[in-house]
Amino acid sequence: MLLEVSHLTKRYGEFAAVDDVSFSIAAGEILGLLGPNGAGKTTTIHMLLGLIAPSAGEVRVFGRRFDDHREAILEQMNFSSPYVSFPLRLTVMENLEVFARLYNIAQPRRRIAEMLELFGIQHLARKPIAKLSSGENTRVGLCKAMLNNPRLLLLDEPTAYLDPEIAWQVKQVLLRAQRDMGTTILFTSHNMLEVERMCGRIVFMHRGRVIAAGSPIEITRAILKEERSEPALEEVFLRVVRLEEAGV
Amino acid sequence: MKRNRVGAIMLRHAYEVRRNFDRITDMVYWPVLDIVVWGFFTVYLSNRAGAGGGIAGFLLGAAILWGMFYAFQRDMAVGFLDELWSRNLINLFSTPLAVSEYLCGLIVVNLFKVAAGALCAALVAWACYAFNIFPRLLDLVPFMIDLMLFGLALGVFTSGLIFRYATRIQGLAWSFAGLLLPVSCVFYPLSALPRPLRAVAWMLPTTHAFEGMRQVLAGGGFAAAHFWWALGLDALYFVLAAMFFRWMFESSRRLGLLVKLE
């Protein structure tokens, strides 16, 4: 397994943001981490990156304990979220140059140009981050995330803020990376259709716990408790949210 | 520690200087303005009381060296604040970058910035007030190093607080050094302080650096005792600051604050 998460827990006092979560991802797989707001998806991703210290549990990446091999592991990983930003006054090119150096990329300008072209934002290279739209900022984040050809890519809502056309292009880029380079992707999204199409397997979280794991159709059957022939993650999502609202 | 990652942080902050007018103002404008004000004051003192050039030299030398110390500790903290203000911390620390590499890159860039500001201030003091610091520079450099090391310790301490308490305490980046100014004997000798405060002043590297500076400018040669005292205190404060920073950083990670800092 490329990523193994065992009994991962994050407690803030009495509140468990992530509660005894275990899952694994095989090399080359795209795994969707789903759940309503506050389910613990982003906290899980932040623990996988070492940004939040777990209260209990263990993360192993590329067969090694994260805590013991942080630097070596993060050299081969990357991350993107539309909710984080870059230094606002620096241009797109300057920001990406900094990250290219952090990942020790050979011929950084060439690699950056390739990434900008891949995500269709080469015309923004000399623009300061402060002048970008949210969607453009998301795409710069994705360029950063692909700079080092990561073996494991963690994407927190990568298509948020993108219009459908750009979102489609981004998904194609990610699928191509998986197919051609064997990139393993952990993916969170609120777009259920997108998840059904992108992810071979899903971990569904609710109130910090994993409530179901499996393929989209398995998740659909498990949570709706009905025999279905097609995945219906949107329905699953709404069912979980309504149960939560009803206090069940 | 990897050179490429230290270089990346240097590049990031060098670009910030290029793109952010505030950083250029911090670097050059304030040190030069200080010298202009203190310069006029020394002219006034010399004309009125017949005070010798010695006092003028002490004041201008002190203004240059204090400017270096103040700028260095401020820029260490502001470097972290820049990441916070731009919500870049998550991006940075989800790379293999270690905190020590970040600090190292920031130190190197800040040394260049401080040197540029001090050079401008020294040139203005020379050109406008006939105070030439350069012939005694070799004897003063050790005290400048003392001040930089103490500035580093304070910067690391303040950055630790920023990691834990975020922008709520960002004012410390600009004000913390000011707290030490009265007891650092910058513009007056240690003997000018009330007796109970002298013990406090003695425990500050700044006091020894400025006492040493006055001895050099008075033609008394290099004050080795003050240099070594300051260096010893610097080492002590740096170790304490580094431990404090580590504690704050880990507590921020444990409490999940690193991803929520604003």
Side-chain angles (χ1 to χ4, degrees):
Chain A
M1 284 294 164
L2 195 101
L3 170 72
E4 291 170 270
V5 175
S6 318
H7 307 291
L8 198 64
T9 301
K10 183 66 202 175
R11 291 188 177 278
Y12 299 108
E14 292 296 301
F15 173 69
V18 173
D19 191 3
D20 198 28
V21 165
S22 299
F23 62 89
S24 57
I25 312 181
E29 189 181 9
I30 300 184
L31 180 94
L33 200 55
L34 295 191
N37 290 333
K41 309 180 296 287
T42 302
T43 304
T44 301
I45 285 189
H46 287 155
M47 284 195 280
L48 299 184
L49 289 163
L51 296 167
I52 296 179
S55 309
E58 187 183 73
V59 175
R60 294 182 79 87
V61 190
F62 314 130
R64 297 198 266 188
R65 276 197 59 189
F66 185 91
D67 287 344
D68 301 336
H69 300 92
R70 176 188 172 271
E71 283 180 38
I73 288 170
L74 286 176
E75 273 171 6
Q76 301 175 70
M77 263 172 86
N78 215 316
F79 160 75
S80 172
S81 165
Y83 308 116
V84 297
S85 188
F86 295 95
L88 298 173
R89 289 186 176 85
L90 272 61
T91 65
V92 168
M93 178 58 92
E94 288 167 347
N95 268 300
L96 292 176
E97 270 183 57
V98 169
F99 283 93
R101 278 195 186 219
L102 283 171
Y103 288 106
N104 206 16
I105 287 160
Q107 298 184 291
R109 283 184 170 254
R110 202 174 121 191
R111 178 71 183 156
I112 292 166
E114 283 170 15
M115 290 300 104
L116 291 173
E117 199 183 337
L118 194 64
F119 288 99
I121 51 169
Q122 57 274 47
H123 59 289
L124 300 177
R126 298 195 184 286
K127 226 176 172 184
I129 293 288
K131 293 194 173 165
L132 302 185
S133 68
S134 301
E136 288 168 340
N137 199 35
T138 300
R139 281 188 281 169
V140 175
L142 287 164
C143 287
K144 188 276 293 179
M146 300 289 281
L147 268 179
N148 61 330
N149 257 334
R151 284 173 70 195
L152 175 61
L153 189 52
L154 308 184
L155 301 173
D156 193 9
E157 299 186 42
T159 54
Y161 301 137
L162 299 180
D163 66 46
E165 167 64 14
I166 303 290
W168 184 84
Q169 285 174 17
V170 165
K171 280 177 274 183
Q172 296 313 305
V173 170
L174 297 175
L175 288 169
R176 213 177 311 141
Q178 182 221 16
R179 193 182 56 230
D180 299 346
M181 291 177 294
T183 309
T184 306
I185 301 174
L186 177 68
F187 188 97
T188 78
S189 175
H190 283 132
N191 183 334
M192 297 299 122
L193 204 59
E194 179 176 278
V195 174
E196 281 175 19
R197 286 178 184 165
M198 292 274 297
C199 304
R201 209 157 53 86
I202 289 163
V203 169
F204 205 104
M205 291 181 72
H206 181 48
R207 292 180 182 159
R209 296 187 73 96
V210 174
I211 56 168
S215 65
I217 186 69
E218 285 167 348
I219 294 275
T220 305
R221 287 171 184 158
I223 293 182
L224 295 181
K225 296 186 172 58
E226 291 171 18
E227 196 49 46
R228 297 283 185 115
S229 55
E230 295 287 325
L233 291 178
E234 188 121 0
E235 256 186 272
V236 168
F237 192 91
L238 290 171
R239 172 77 59 91
V240 171
V241 171
R242 281 176 191 150
L243 285 174
E244 184 174 21
E245 282 168 0
V248 180
Chain B
M1 195 169 302
K2 290 274 175 71
R3 243 190 337 196
N4 64 295
R5 301 203 283 253
V6 174
I9 297 307
M10 288 167 60
L11 188 68
R12 182 257 177 276
H13 287 284
Y15 281 145
E16 188 73 35
V17 172
R18 188 161 96 178
R19 299 280 174 199
N20 189 341
F21 188 69
D22 290 347
R23 298 293 158 267
I24 296 167
T25 309
D26 286 345
M27 191 168 76
V28 179
Y29 175 81
W30 292 115
V32 168
L33 196 70
D34 269 350
I35 291 302
V36 170
V37 172
W38 280 105
F40 282 130
F41 184 61
T42 58
V43 169
Y44 164 76
L45 269 187
S46 304
N47 291 343
R48 187 177 168 87
I55 288 180
F58 291 162
L59 292 176
L60 287 171
I64 293 171
L65 264 65
W66 178 259
M68 293 176 75
F69 165 69
Y70 174 77
F72 194 73
Q73 67 86 36
R74 176 202 60 205
D75 289 349
M76 287 303 296
V78 170
F80 277 102
L81 283 170
D82 269 331
E83 311 300 357
L84 221 65
W85 292 328
S86 55
R87 292 187 294 145
N88 191 36
L89 273 177
I90 295 181
N91 271 332
L92 282 179
F93 288 106
S94 59
T95 72
L97 179 72
V99 177
S100 54
E101 290 163 342
Y102 185 90
L103 279 174
C104 220
L106 197 56
I107 289 167
V108 176
V109 172
N110 287 342
L111 280 176
F112 278 110
K113 285 163 70 179
V114 164
L119 181 65
C120 293
L123 288 173
V124 169
W126 189 14
C128 303
Y129 306 108
F131 171 69
N132 185 0
I133 202 172
F134 297 104
R136 288 182 177 139
L137 199 58
L138 267 185
D139 281 338
L140 289 174
V141 163
F143 297 110
M144 292 176 177
I145 292 171
D146 281 337
L147 289 171
M148 294 302 99
L149 290 174
F150 190 43
L152 174 63
L154 287 189
V156 168
F157 174 76
T158 317
S159 303
L161 285 172
I162 291 168
F163 262 113
R164 178 65 182 77
Y165 298 104
T167 48
R168 276 176 289 167
I169 51 94
Q170 66 184 18
L172 280 181
W174 292 272
S175 60
F176 196 64
L179 199 68
L180 302 178
L181 181 59
V183 279
S184 287
C185 304
V186 180
F187 298 110
Y188 37 79
L190 181 66
S191 56
L193 285 181
R195 199 167 289 277
L197 280 182
R198 285 184 204 169
V200 178
W202 192 258
M203 291 309 291
L204 294 174
T206 36
T207 304
H208 295 283
F210 286 104
E211 287 286 308
M213 176 209 74
R214 276 187 287 273
Q215 185 173 321
V216 169
L217 293 179
F222 177 63
H226 281 303
F227 169 70
W228 289 112
W229 256 106
L231 199 63
L233 289 169
D234 281 337
L236 172 71
Y237 290 130
F238 181 75
V239 169
L240 290 175
M243 285 163 62
F244 179 77
F245 182 92
R246 185 96 216 147
W247 179 41
M248 290 287 106
F249 186 78
E250 287 308 323
S251 126
S252 182
R253 267 187 76 225
R254 199 179 56 251
L255 297 170
L257 299 174
L258 196 58
V259 296
K260 291 180 185 154
L261 288 174
E262 273 182 47

